[in-house]
Amino acid sequence: MPIDRDSLRAFLATVHPYDALPPETVEALLPAFRPLSLAAHRSVYTMDQPLEGLYLIHSGAVAVTDRNGVQISALGPRNSFGERGLLRDGRAVTAAETTADSLLLVLSRDAFLKLVETQPAVTKFFDRTRPARPKRADLATSRVETLMATTPLTCPPETTVQKAAQMMAERHVSSICITAGDALKGIATIRDLSGKVVGGGLPFDTPITDVMTANPLTLPPSAIGSDVLHMMMERRIGHVPIACDDRLVGIITQTDLTRFQAMTSAELVSEIAHAPDADAMARATARIPQLLVQLVAAGNRHEVVTRLITDIADTATRRLLTLAETKLGPAPVPYLWAACGSQGRQEQTGVSDQDNVLILHDSFTEDMRPYFTDLAAEVTKGLDTCGYVFCPGDMMASAPRWCQPLSTWRTYFRNWIGKPNPEAQMLASVMFDLRPIGGDPTLLQDLQNETLDGAAKNSIFVAHMVSNSLKHTPPLGLLRGFATIRSGEHKNQIDLKHSGVVPVVDLGRVYALQGRLTAVNTRARLEAAIAAGVLSASGGQDLLDAYDLIAETRLEHQAALVKAGEAPNNYLAPATLSDFERSHLRDAFVVVKSLQSALGHGKGMLG
Protein backbone atom coordinates (compact mmCIF):
# COMPACT_ATOMS: atom_id res chain seq x y z
CA MET A 1 0.00 0.00 0.00
CA PRO A 2 1.90 3.06 -1.20
CA ILE A 3 1.75 6.47 0.47
CA ASP A 4 2.60 9.63 -1.42
CA ARG A 5 4.91 12.37 -0.17
CA ASP A 6 2.14 14.85 0.68
CA SER A 7 0.16 12.24 2.63
CA LEU A 8 3.26 11.19 4.54
CA ARG A 9 4.09 14.81 5.39
CA ALA A 10 0.53 15.41 6.61
CA PHE A 11 0.57 12.23 8.69
CA LEU A 12 3.88 13.07 10.39
CA ALA A 13 2.46 16.47 11.33
CA THR A 14 0.02 14.61 13.61
CA VAL A 15 2.66 12.42 15.28
CA HIS A 16 5.00 13.44 18.10
CA PRO A 17 7.94 14.12 18.01
CA TYR A 18 7.89 14.77 14.24
CA ASP A 19 5.40 17.58 14.77
CA ALA A 20 8.10 19.42 16.76
CA LEU A 21 10.75 19.22 14.03
CA PRO A 22 11.62 22.12 11.69
CA PRO A 23 9.82 21.85 8.32
CA GLU A 24 13.10 21.47 6.45
CA THR A 25 14.11 18.56 8.71
CA VAL A 26 10.81 16.77 8.05
CA GLU A 27 11.17 17.38 4.32
CA ALA A 28 14.64 15.84 4.29
CA LEU A 29 13.34 12.91 6.33
CA LEU A 30 10.52 11.87 4.00
CA PRO A 31 12.65 9.70 1.66
CA ALA A 32 13.98 7.76 4.66
CA PHE A 33 10.52 6.26 5.36
CA ARG A 34 9.63 3.00 3.60
CA PRO A 35 6.00 1.79 3.55
CA LEU A 36 5.46 -1.82 4.64
CA SER A 37 2.06 -3.48 4.15
CA LEU A 38 1.34 -6.61 6.18
CA ALA A 39 -1.78 -8.72 6.52
CA ALA A 40 -3.12 -9.62 9.94
CA HIS A 41 -1.13 -12.09 12.04
CA ARG A 42 2.11 -11.58 10.18
CA SER A 43 5.45 -11.25 11.94
CA VAL A 44 7.02 -7.78 11.76
CA TYR A 45 10.22 -9.02 13.36
CA THR A 46 11.31 -11.72 15.78
CA MET A 47 13.48 -11.61 18.87
CA ASP A 48 17.18 -10.84 18.37
CA GLN A 49 17.02 -10.26 14.61
CA PRO A 50 18.57 -7.10 13.13
CA LEU A 51 16.07 -4.25 12.97
CA GLU A 52 15.57 -2.43 9.68
CA GLY A 53 14.67 0.75 11.48
CA LEU A 54 12.00 2.39 13.60
CA TYR A 55 8.44 1.23 12.94
CA LEU A 56 5.58 3.74 12.92
CA ILE A 57 2.01 2.47 12.54
CA HIS A 58 0.05 4.39 9.90
CA SER A 59 -2.99 2.11 10.11
CA GLY A 60 -3.79 -1.26 11.64
CA ALA A 61 -2.62 -2.82 14.93
CA VAL A 62 0.50 -4.53 16.27
CA ALA A 63 1.11 -6.71 19.33
CA VAL A 64 4.54 -6.54 20.98
CA THR A 65 5.69 -9.48 23.12
CA ASP A 66 8.71 -10.06 25.35
CA ARG A 67 11.19 -12.91 25.13
CA ASN A 68 8.81 -15.16 27.09
CA GLY A 69 5.94 -14.64 24.65
CA VAL A 70 4.04 -12.38 27.08
CA GLN A 71 2.22 -9.52 25.37
CA ILE A 72 3.40 -6.20 26.78
CA SER A 73 1.85 -3.75 24.31
CA ALA A 74 -1.06 -3.51 21.91
CA LEU A 75 -0.28 -0.66 19.53
CA GLY A 76 -2.40 1.31 17.10
CA PRO A 77 -1.98 4.19 14.62
CA ARG A 78 0.68 6.80 15.42
CA ASN A 79 2.48 4.45 17.82
CA SER A 80 6.16 3.64 17.27
CA PHE A 81 8.11 0.54 18.28
CA GLY A 82 11.60 -0.91 17.91
CA GLU A 83 13.50 2.04 19.37
CA ARG A 84 14.93 0.16 22.36
CA GLY A 85 16.71 -2.33 20.13
CA LEU A 86 17.96 0.38 17.78
CA LEU A 87 19.41 2.37 20.68
CA ARG A 88 21.22 -0.70 22.00
CA ASP A 89 22.94 -2.68 19.28
CA GLY A 90 20.41 -2.67 16.46
CA ARG A 91 18.86 -6.04 17.39
CA ALA A 92 15.29 -6.54 18.52
CA VAL A 93 14.70 -6.94 22.25
CA THR A 94 11.01 -7.78 21.71
CA ALA A 95 8.95 -9.49 19.01
CA ALA A 96 6.17 -7.81 17.01
CA GLU A 97 3.23 -9.20 15.02
CA THR A 98 0.32 -7.51 13.28
CA THR A 99 -3.14 -8.21 14.73
CA ALA A 100 -4.96 -6.53 11.82
CA ASP A 101 -4.14 -5.59 8.25
CA SER A 102 -1.56 -2.86 8.73
CA LEU A 103 0.45 -0.20 6.96
CA LEU A 104 3.74 0.45 8.73
CA LEU A 105 6.21 3.21 7.98
CA VAL A 106 9.80 2.08 8.51
CA LEU A 107 12.28 4.89 9.24
CA SER A 108 15.75 3.65 8.32
CA ARG A 109 18.08 2.88 11.18
CA ASP A 110 20.68 5.46 10.12
CA ALA A 111 18.09 8.21 9.74
CA PHE A 112 16.59 7.41 13.14
CA LEU A 113 19.94 7.40 14.95
CA LYS A 114 20.91 10.68 13.27
CA LEU A 115 17.66 12.23 14.48
CA VAL A 116 18.34 11.05 18.02
CA GLU A 117 21.79 12.60 17.88
CA THR A 118 20.79 15.94 16.36
CA GLN A 119 17.18 16.70 17.30
CA PRO A 120 16.48 17.38 21.02
CA ALA A 121 12.76 16.66 20.62
CA VAL A 122 13.51 13.20 19.19
CA THR A 123 16.21 12.53 21.77
CA LYS A 124 13.88 13.42 24.62
CA PHE A 125 11.04 11.32 23.25
CA PHE A 126 12.87 8.13 22.32
CA ASP A 127 16.04 8.06 24.41
CA ARG A 128 14.98 8.69 27.99
CA THR A 129 18.03 6.70 29.16
CA ARG A 130 20.37 9.44 27.97
CA PRO A 131 21.52 11.48 30.97
CA ALA A 132 20.38 15.06 31.17
CA ARG A 133 22.91 17.87 31.02
CA PRO A 134 24.73 17.81 34.37
CA LYS A 135 23.58 20.42 36.84
CA ARG A 136 25.89 22.49 38.94
CA ALA A 137 27.04 20.20 41.72
CA ASP A 138 25.53 20.93 45.13
CA LEU A 139 25.56 19.41 48.55
CA ALA A 140 22.28 17.54 48.18
CA THR A 141 23.33 15.64 45.07
CA SER A 142 27.09 15.26 45.53
CA ARG A 143 28.42 11.96 46.77
CA VAL A 144 30.70 12.04 49.77
CA GLU A 145 33.55 10.59 47.73
CA THR A 146 33.63 13.84 45.73
CA LEU A 147 33.58 16.04 48.87
CA MET A 148 35.95 14.27 51.26
CA ALA A 149 39.65 14.80 51.85
CA THR A 150 41.21 11.58 50.58
CA THR A 151 44.41 11.83 52.67
CA PRO A 152 43.26 12.27 56.26
CA LEU A 153 45.96 12.79 58.87
CA THR A 154 46.53 9.55 60.79
CA CYS A 155 48.69 8.22 63.60
CA PRO A 156 49.11 4.88 65.39
CA PRO A 157 47.52 4.29 68.82
CA GLU A 158 50.82 4.68 70.71
CA THR A 159 51.30 8.29 69.53
CA THR A 160 51.48 10.87 72.34
CA VAL A 161 49.11 13.84 72.50
CA GLN A 162 52.08 16.20 72.03
CA LYS A 163 53.19 14.43 68.84
CA ALA A 164 49.60 14.37 67.56
CA ALA A 165 49.26 18.12 68.19
CA GLN A 166 52.52 18.79 66.34
CA MET A 167 51.34 16.69 63.37
CA MET A 168 48.02 18.59 63.22
CA ALA A 169 49.82 21.94 63.38
CA GLU A 170 52.18 20.95 60.56
CA ARG A 171 49.28 19.91 58.33
CA HIS A 172 47.06 22.83 59.38
CA VAL A 173 44.18 20.49 60.15
CA SER A 174 41.82 20.28 63.10
CA SER A 175 41.66 16.50 63.57
CA ILE A 176 43.71 13.33 63.47
CA CYS A 177 42.46 9.78 62.94
CA ILE A 178 43.92 6.98 65.02
CA THR A 179 44.42 3.84 62.95
CA ALA A 180 45.88 0.36 63.20
CA GLY A 181 46.88 -0.39 59.64
CA ASP A 182 43.91 0.86 57.60
CA ALA A 183 41.39 0.17 60.38
CA LEU A 184 39.94 3.24 62.09
CA LYS A 185 40.16 3.10 65.90
CA GLY A 186 39.28 6.64 66.87
CA ILE A 187 39.49 10.36 66.15
CA ALA A 188 40.89 13.29 68.13
CA THR A 189 40.27 16.97 67.41
CA ILE A 190 41.78 20.29 68.47
CA ARG A 191 38.84 20.58 70.86
CA ASP A 192 39.78 17.25 72.48
CA LEU A 193 43.38 18.35 72.97
CA SER A 194 42.52 21.76 74.36
CA GLY A 195 39.73 20.52 76.61
CA LYS A 196 41.13 17.22 77.85
CA VAL A 197 44.90 17.80 77.74
CA VAL A 198 45.36 21.51 78.40
CA GLY A 199 42.14 22.03 80.34
CA GLY A 200 42.48 18.72 82.17
CA GLY A 201 46.16 19.15 82.98
CA LEU A 202 47.23 15.88 81.38
CA PRO A 203 50.94 15.32 80.71
CA PHE A 204 52.15 15.74 77.14
CA ASP A 205 53.23 12.10 76.93
CA THR A 206 49.65 10.90 77.44
CA PRO A 207 48.72 8.36 74.72
CA ILE A 208 46.36 9.79 72.13
CA THR A 209 44.04 6.84 72.83
CA ASP A 210 43.28 8.36 76.25
CA VAL A 211 41.67 11.45 74.74
CA MET A 212 40.35 10.21 71.38
CA THR A 213 36.72 9.40 70.58
CA ALA A 214 36.82 5.63 70.10
CA ASN A 215 34.81 3.92 67.36
CA PRO A 216 33.55 7.22 65.93
CA LEU A 217 30.51 7.55 63.70
CA THR A 218 31.42 7.06 60.05
CA LEU A 219 29.75 7.23 56.65
CA PRO A 220 30.56 5.34 53.44
CA PRO A 221 31.85 7.07 50.29
CA SER A 222 28.47 6.40 48.66
CA ALA A 223 26.68 8.69 51.13
CA ILE A 224 25.69 12.18 50.02
CA GLY A 225 26.74 15.51 51.43
CA SER A 226 23.46 15.98 53.23
CA ASP A 227 24.07 12.78 55.20
CA VAL A 228 27.22 14.39 56.56
CA LEU A 229 25.50 17.65 57.42
CA HIS A 230 22.59 15.92 59.10
CA MET A 231 24.93 13.77 61.19
CA MET A 232 26.95 16.80 62.22
CA MET A 233 23.91 18.81 63.25
CA GLU A 234 22.19 15.95 65.07
CA ARG A 235 25.29 14.73 66.93
CA ARG A 236 26.97 18.14 67.32
CA ILE A 237 30.20 16.97 65.77
CA GLY A 238 32.44 18.76 63.29
CA HIS A 239 34.35 15.87 61.74
CA VAL A 240 33.06 12.73 60.04
CA PRO A 241 35.52 9.98 59.00
CA ILE A 242 34.63 8.18 55.77
CA ALA A 243 35.13 4.42 55.90
CA CYS A 244 34.62 1.53 53.53
CA ASP A 245 34.46 -1.95 55.10
CA ASP A 246 35.98 -0.50 58.31
CA ARG A 247 38.89 0.92 56.30
CA LEU A 248 39.50 4.67 56.60
CA VAL A 249 39.36 6.28 53.14
CA GLY A 250 38.73 9.97 53.87
CA ILE A 251 37.33 12.63 56.19
CA ILE A 252 34.90 15.53 55.93
CA THR A 253 34.81 18.56 58.21
CA GLN A 254 32.36 21.43 58.56
CA THR A 255 34.66 23.63 56.52
CA ASP A 256 34.38 21.15 53.64
CA LEU A 257 30.66 21.75 53.36
CA THR A 258 28.50 24.53 52.02
CA ARG A 259 24.91 24.31 53.21
CA PHE A 260 23.22 25.13 49.93
CA GLN A 261 20.08 23.20 48.94
CA ALA A 262 20.22 20.75 51.81
CA MET A 263 20.08 23.54 54.37
CA THR A 264 16.29 23.31 54.59
CA SER A 265 16.35 19.65 55.52
CA ALA A 266 19.36 20.18 57.77
CA GLU A 267 17.49 22.84 59.71
CA LEU A 268 14.62 20.40 60.29
CA VAL A 269 17.07 17.72 61.42
CA SER A 270 18.72 20.14 63.85
CA GLU A 271 15.38 21.36 65.19
CA ILE A 272 14.13 17.81 65.75
CA ALA A 273 17.41 16.56 67.24
CA HIS A 274 17.17 19.11 70.02
CA ALA A 275 13.39 19.27 70.48
CA PRO A 276 12.13 18.98 74.08
CA ASP A 277 9.13 16.81 73.22
CA ALA A 278 7.08 15.22 70.44
CA ASP A 279 4.85 18.27 70.01
CA ALA A 280 7.87 20.45 69.24
CA MET A 281 9.12 17.82 66.80
CA ALA A 282 5.72 17.73 65.12
CA ARG A 283 5.97 21.45 64.35
CA ALA A 284 9.13 20.66 62.40
CA THR A 285 7.85 17.53 60.63
CA ALA A 286 4.76 19.49 59.56
CA ARG A 287 7.06 21.34 57.17
CA ILE A 288 8.07 18.15 55.33
CA PRO A 289 5.50 18.62 52.52
CA GLN A 290 6.93 22.06 51.75
CA LEU A 291 10.43 20.61 51.87
CA LEU A 292 9.29 18.04 49.31
CA VAL A 293 8.11 20.82 47.02
CA GLN A 294 11.42 22.68 47.32
CA LEU A 295 13.54 19.60 46.71
CA VAL A 296 11.52 18.51 43.67
CA ALA A 297 11.49 22.05 42.27
CA ALA A 298 15.28 22.18 42.59
CA GLY A 299 15.52 19.19 40.25
CA ASN A 300 16.94 16.73 42.78
CA ARG A 301 16.82 13.06 41.84
CA HIS A 302 14.19 10.96 43.57
CA GLU A 303 16.69 8.94 45.62
CA VAL A 304 18.16 12.18 46.99
CA VAL A 305 14.74 13.59 47.90
CA THR A 306 13.62 10.41 49.65
CA ARG A 307 16.96 10.09 51.46
CA LEU A 308 16.65 13.62 52.85
CA ILE A 309 13.06 13.07 53.94
CA THR A 310 13.93 9.72 55.54
CA ASP A 311 16.79 11.36 57.44
CA ILE A 312 14.17 13.46 59.21
CA ALA A 313 12.22 10.36 60.28
CA ASP A 314 15.44 8.72 61.48
CA THR A 315 16.32 11.78 63.55
CA ALA A 316 12.83 11.94 65.02
CA THR A 317 13.03 8.27 66.00
CA ARG A 318 16.41 8.66 67.69
CA ARG A 319 15.29 11.79 69.52
CA LEU A 320 12.18 10.01 70.79
CA LEU A 321 14.33 7.11 71.98
CA THR A 322 16.55 9.54 73.88
CA LEU A 323 13.54 11.26 75.45
CA ALA A 324 12.05 7.90 76.38
CA GLU A 325 15.26 6.74 78.05
CA THR A 326 15.48 10.03 79.93
CA LYS A 327 11.98 9.37 81.26
CA LEU A 328 12.26 5.62 81.87
CA GLY A 329 15.93 5.29 82.75
CA PRO A 330 18.62 3.32 80.90
CA ALA A 331 17.59 0.13 79.13
CA PRO A 332 18.17 -3.04 81.16
CA VAL A 333 19.81 -4.78 78.16
CA PRO A 334 21.14 -3.57 74.80
CA TYR A 335 18.51 -3.19 72.11
CA LEU A 336 18.17 -2.16 68.47
CA TRP A 337 15.32 -0.09 67.11
CA ALA A 338 15.08 -0.95 63.42
CA ALA A 339 12.82 0.39 60.68
CA CYS A 340 11.36 -1.54 57.79
CA GLY A 341 9.09 -0.42 54.95
CA SER A 342 9.93 2.82 53.17
CA GLN A 343 11.90 4.18 56.15
CA GLY A 344 14.02 1.05 56.21
CA ARG A 345 14.75 1.44 52.49
CA GLN A 346 15.32 5.23 52.85
CA GLU A 347 12.49 5.85 50.39
CA GLN A 348 10.01 7.96 52.33
CA THR A 349 7.98 10.56 50.45
CA GLY A 350 5.33 13.01 51.60
CA VAL A 351 3.07 10.11 52.66
CA SER A 352 4.46 7.66 55.22
CA ASP A 353 3.23 5.52 58.08
CA GLN A 354 5.58 3.85 60.54
CA ASP A 355 6.98 0.31 60.39
CA ASN A 356 9.44 -0.61 63.12
CA VAL A 357 10.63 -3.39 65.40
CA LEU A 358 12.73 -3.90 68.53
CA ILE A 359 15.49 -6.51 68.61
CA LEU A 360 16.64 -7.18 72.17
CA HIS A 361 19.87 -8.70 73.43
CA ASP A 362 19.55 -12.37 74.34
CA SER A 363 20.18 -11.56 77.99
CA PHE A 364 16.62 -10.20 78.00
CA THR A 365 14.22 -11.78 80.50
CA GLU A 366 10.45 -11.38 80.63
CA ASP A 367 10.58 -9.29 83.79
CA MET A 368 12.22 -6.59 81.61
CA ARG A 369 9.32 -6.50 79.18
CA PRO A 370 7.44 -3.65 80.91
CA TYR A 371 10.41 -1.37 80.26
CA PHE A 372 10.49 -2.11 76.53
CA THR A 373 6.69 -1.98 76.30
CA ASP A 374 6.83 1.54 77.72
CA LEU A 375 9.78 2.48 75.52
CA ALA A 376 7.99 1.30 72.37
CA ALA A 377 4.79 3.09 73.38
CA GLU A 378 6.62 6.36 73.96
CA VAL A 379 8.36 6.23 70.58
CA THR A 380 5.48 4.97 68.42
CA LYS A 381 3.06 7.49 69.96
CA GLY A 382 5.61 10.23 69.43
CA LEU A 383 6.06 9.23 65.79
CA ASP A 384 2.29 9.29 65.34
CA THR A 385 2.24 12.80 66.81
CA CYS A 386 4.90 13.76 64.25
CA GLY A 387 2.72 12.56 61.37
CA TYR A 388 4.14 9.05 60.95
CA VAL A 389 0.81 7.39 61.58
CA PHE A 390 0.42 4.01 63.24
CA CYS A 391 0.89 1.06 60.88
CA PRO A 392 -2.54 -0.33 59.89
CA GLY A 393 -1.11 -3.85 60.13
CA ASP A 394 0.40 -3.18 63.58
CA MET A 395 3.91 -3.77 62.25
CA MET A 396 5.37 -1.77 65.12
CA ALA A 397 7.67 -2.28 68.06
CA SER A 398 4.72 -1.65 70.39
CA ALA A 399 3.28 -5.04 69.36
CA PRO A 400 4.75 -7.80 71.58
CA ARG A 401 5.34 -9.97 68.52
CA TRP A 402 7.78 -7.41 67.11
CA CYS A 403 9.59 -6.71 70.39
CA GLN A 404 11.64 -9.85 70.97
CA PRO A 405 15.17 -11.05 71.80
CA LEU A 406 17.56 -11.83 68.98
CA SER A 407 17.11 -15.58 69.39
CA THR A 408 13.38 -15.23 68.76
CA TRP A 409 14.03 -13.15 65.67
CA ARG A 410 16.34 -15.89 64.40
CA THR A 411 13.52 -18.38 64.94
CA TYR A 412 11.08 -16.10 63.11
CA PHE A 413 13.26 -15.93 60.02
CA ARG A 414 14.10 -19.63 60.17
CA ASN A 415 10.40 -20.53 60.23
CA TRP A 416 9.46 -18.06 57.49
CA ILE A 417 12.14 -19.50 55.23
CA GLY A 418 11.39 -23.11 56.13
CA LYS A 419 7.59 -22.85 55.74
CA PRO A 420 6.93 -20.12 53.14
CA ASN A 421 3.13 -19.79 53.44
CA PRO A 422 1.48 -16.52 52.31
CA GLU A 423 1.88 -14.83 55.71
CA ALA A 424 5.51 -15.93 55.92
CA GLN A 425 6.19 -14.52 52.44
CA MET A 426 4.65 -11.20 53.40
CA LEU A 427 6.50 -10.94 56.69
CA ALA A 428 9.81 -12.01 55.20
CA SER A 429 9.40 -9.40 52.46
CA VAL A 430 8.85 -6.69 55.05
CA MET A 431 11.64 -7.82 57.33
CA PHE A 432 14.22 -8.10 54.55
CA ASP A 433 14.06 -4.28 54.49
CA LEU A 434 15.16 -3.80 58.11
CA ARG A 435 17.68 -1.00 58.78
CA PRO A 436 19.20 0.02 62.14
CA ILE A 437 17.97 3.38 63.46
CA GLY A 438 18.83 3.57 67.16
CA GLY A 439 20.58 1.39 69.72
CA ASP A 440 23.08 -1.39 69.02
CA PRO A 441 23.34 -2.04 65.24
CA THR A 442 25.34 -5.24 65.72
CA LEU A 443 22.13 -6.97 66.80
CA LEU A 444 20.98 -6.90 63.18
CA GLN A 445 24.23 -7.45 61.31
CA ASP A 446 24.65 -11.19 61.95
CA LEU A 447 20.91 -11.79 61.68
CA GLN A 448 20.80 -10.19 58.24
CA ASN A 449 23.78 -12.17 56.95
CA GLU A 450 22.48 -15.46 58.35
CA THR A 451 19.03 -14.84 56.91
CA LEU A 452 20.26 -13.95 53.43
CA ASP A 453 22.49 -17.01 53.39
CA GLY A 454 19.77 -19.37 54.56
CA ALA A 455 17.09 -17.90 52.32
CA ALA A 456 19.24 -17.96 49.19
CA LYS A 457 20.02 -21.65 49.76
CA ASN A 458 16.33 -22.59 49.99
CA SER A 459 15.10 -22.86 46.40
CA ILE A 460 11.48 -23.37 47.48
CA PHE A 461 11.53 -20.21 49.56
CA VAL A 462 13.14 -18.26 46.69
CA ALA A 463 10.44 -19.53 44.33
CA HIS A 464 7.74 -18.40 46.74
CA MET A 465 9.38 -14.98 47.09
CA VAL A 466 9.51 -14.68 43.30
CA SER A 467 5.82 -15.56 43.10
CA ASN A 468 5.03 -13.04 45.85
CA SER A 469 6.96 -10.32 44.00
CA LEU A 470 4.71 -10.73 40.94
CA LYS A 471 1.47 -9.97 42.78
CA HIS A 472 1.85 -6.23 42.26
CA THR A 473 1.62 -5.59 38.53
CA PRO A 474 2.09 -2.38 36.55
CA PRO A 475 -1.18 -0.68 35.50
CA LEU A 476 -1.02 -1.56 31.81
CA GLY A 477 -4.15 -1.61 29.66
CA LEU A 478 -4.70 -2.32 26.00
CA LEU A 479 -4.07 0.09 23.15
CA ARG A 480 -1.23 1.87 24.91
CA GLY A 481 -3.51 2.90 27.75
CA PHE A 482 -3.45 2.45 31.50
CA ALA A 483 -5.47 0.06 33.63
CA THR A 484 -6.96 2.65 35.96
CA ILE A 485 -8.96 2.08 39.12
CA ARG A 486 -12.54 1.37 38.04
CA SER A 487 -14.61 2.70 40.93
CA GLY A 488 -14.52 4.50 44.24
CA GLU A 489 -12.71 7.60 45.40
CA HIS A 490 -9.79 7.06 43.00
CA LYS A 491 -11.74 6.06 39.89
CA ASN A 492 -9.83 6.63 36.62
CA GLN A 493 -6.55 7.00 38.50
CA ILE A 494 -3.48 4.78 38.88
CA ASP A 495 -1.75 4.00 42.16
CA LEU A 496 1.85 5.11 41.70
CA LYS A 497 2.87 3.35 44.91
CA HIS A 498 1.37 -0.14 44.78
CA SER A 499 1.20 -0.41 40.96
CA GLY A 500 4.23 1.72 40.19
CA VAL A 501 7.02 1.77 42.77
CA VAL A 502 6.20 -1.42 44.70
CA PRO A 503 6.68 -3.80 41.73
CA VAL A 504 10.25 -2.50 41.37
CA VAL A 505 10.82 -2.65 45.13
CA ASP A 506 9.71 -6.30 45.03
CA LEU A 507 12.03 -7.07 42.12
CA GLY A 508 14.96 -5.43 43.90
CA ARG A 509 14.29 -7.48 47.03
CA VAL A 510 14.30 -10.75 45.06
CA TYR A 511 17.52 -9.83 43.24
CA ALA A 512 19.11 -9.03 46.63
CA LEU A 513 17.98 -12.42 47.91
CA GLN A 514 19.29 -14.27 44.87
CA GLY A 515 22.65 -12.51 45.07
CA ARG A 516 22.85 -12.45 48.90
CA LEU A 517 23.22 -8.68 48.67
CA THR A 518 23.01 -6.66 51.88
CA ALA A 519 21.79 -3.37 50.36
CA VAL A 520 18.31 -2.35 51.50
CA ASN A 521 17.59 0.71 49.35
CA THR A 522 15.87 -0.32 46.10
CA ARG A 523 18.12 1.57 43.71
CA ALA A 524 21.20 0.36 45.59
CA ARG A 525 19.87 -3.20 45.31
CA LEU A 526 19.43 -2.91 41.56
CA GLU A 527 22.92 -1.45 41.12
CA ALA A 528 24.40 -4.20 43.32
CA ALA A 529 22.47 -6.86 41.37
CA ILE A 530 23.95 -5.58 38.10
CA ALA A 531 27.46 -5.52 39.60
CA ALA A 532 27.03 -9.07 40.94
CA GLY A 533 25.71 -10.42 37.64
CA VAL A 534 22.31 -11.29 39.10
CA LEU A 535 20.79 -8.83 36.62
CA SER A 536 22.27 -8.21 33.19
CA ALA A 537 23.74 -4.80 32.48
CA SER A 538 21.24 -3.99 29.72
CA GLY A 539 18.16 -5.30 31.52
CA GLY A 540 19.31 -3.70 34.76
CA GLN A 541 19.84 -0.31 33.15
CA ASP A 542 16.38 -0.47 31.60
CA LEU A 543 14.91 -1.23 35.02
CA LEU A 544 16.86 1.56 36.70
CA ASP A 545 15.65 4.03 34.08
CA ALA A 546 12.06 2.83 34.45
CA TYR A 547 12.23 3.02 38.23
CA ASP A 548 13.68 6.54 38.11
CA LEU A 549 10.86 7.73 35.85
CA ILE A 550 8.09 6.15 37.94
CA ALA A 551 9.53 7.35 41.24
CA GLU A 552 10.10 10.87 39.97
CA THR A 553 6.61 11.03 38.49
CA ARG A 554 5.27 10.06 41.91
CA LEU A 555 7.24 12.81 43.67
CA GLU A 556 6.26 15.43 41.10
CA HIS A 557 2.60 14.43 41.56
CA GLN A 558 2.87 14.77 45.34
CA ALA A 559 4.65 18.13 45.05
CA ALA A 560 1.94 19.42 42.70
CA LEU A 561 -0.75 18.48 45.23
CA VAL A 562 1.07 20.27 48.04
CA LYS A 563 1.46 23.40 45.90
CA ALA A 564 -2.28 23.25 45.24
CA GLY A 565 -2.97 23.21 48.98
CA GLU A 566 -3.89 19.52 49.09
CA ALA A 567 -2.45 16.61 51.04
CA PRO A 568 0.02 14.51 49.03
CA ASN A 569 -1.10 11.06 47.86
CA ASN A 570 -0.08 8.36 45.40
CA TYR A 571 -3.07 8.46 43.03
CA LEU A 572 -2.50 10.00 39.61
CA ALA A 573 -5.04 10.56 36.85
CA PRO A 574 -3.26 9.78 33.53
CA ALA A 575 -5.53 12.33 31.84
CA THR A 576 -3.60 15.09 33.64
CA LEU A 577 -0.38 14.10 31.86
CA SER A 578 0.74 15.23 28.44
CA ASP A 579 0.90 12.72 25.59
CA PHE A 580 4.66 12.70 25.99
CA GLU A 581 4.47 12.00 29.73
CA ARG A 582 1.87 9.27 29.32
CA SER A 583 3.91 7.58 26.60
CA HIS A 584 7.06 7.43 28.67
CA LEU A 585 5.33 6.44 31.89
CA ARG A 586 3.68 3.57 30.07
CA ASP A 587 7.01 2.56 28.51
CA ALA A 588 8.48 2.45 32.02
CA PHE A 589 5.66 0.16 33.16
CA VAL A 590 6.32 -2.07 30.13
CA VAL A 591 9.96 -2.45 31.19
CA VAL A 592 8.89 -3.45 34.71
CA LYS A 593 6.39 -5.96 33.34
CA SER A 594 9.10 -7.42 31.09
CA LEU A 595 11.43 -7.93 34.05
CA GLN A 596 8.61 -9.49 36.04
CA SER A 597 7.94 -11.82 33.14
CA ALA A 598 11.60 -12.78 32.93
CA LEU A 599 11.74 -13.44 36.67
CA GLY A 600 8.53 -15.45 36.57
CA HIS A 601 9.96 -17.64 33.84
CA GLY A 602 13.14 -18.27 35.82
CA LYS A 603 15.23 -15.80 33.84
CA GLY A 604 16.50 -13.29 36.37
CA MET A 605 18.95 -11.88 33.83
CA LEU A 606 17.17 -10.01 31.10
CA GLY A 607 19.46 -9.27 28.18
Side-chain angles (χ1 to χ4, degrees), residues 543-558:
L543 187 55
L544 281 171
D545 292 331
Y547 177 53
D548 289 344
L549 181 63
I550 295 166
E552 285 170 9
T553 300
R554 180 190 182 198
L555 288 180
E556 288 166 359
H557 167 67
Q558 291 188 4

Side-chain angles (χ1 to χ4, degrees), residues 428-434 451-452 455 461 465 509 513 520 525:
S429 294
V430 172
M431 296 304 174
F432 275 135
D433 294 347
L434 284 176
T451 300
L452 278 173
F461 176 76
M465 287 293 288
R509 189 182 295 114
L513 173 60
V520 175
R525 279 173 166 166

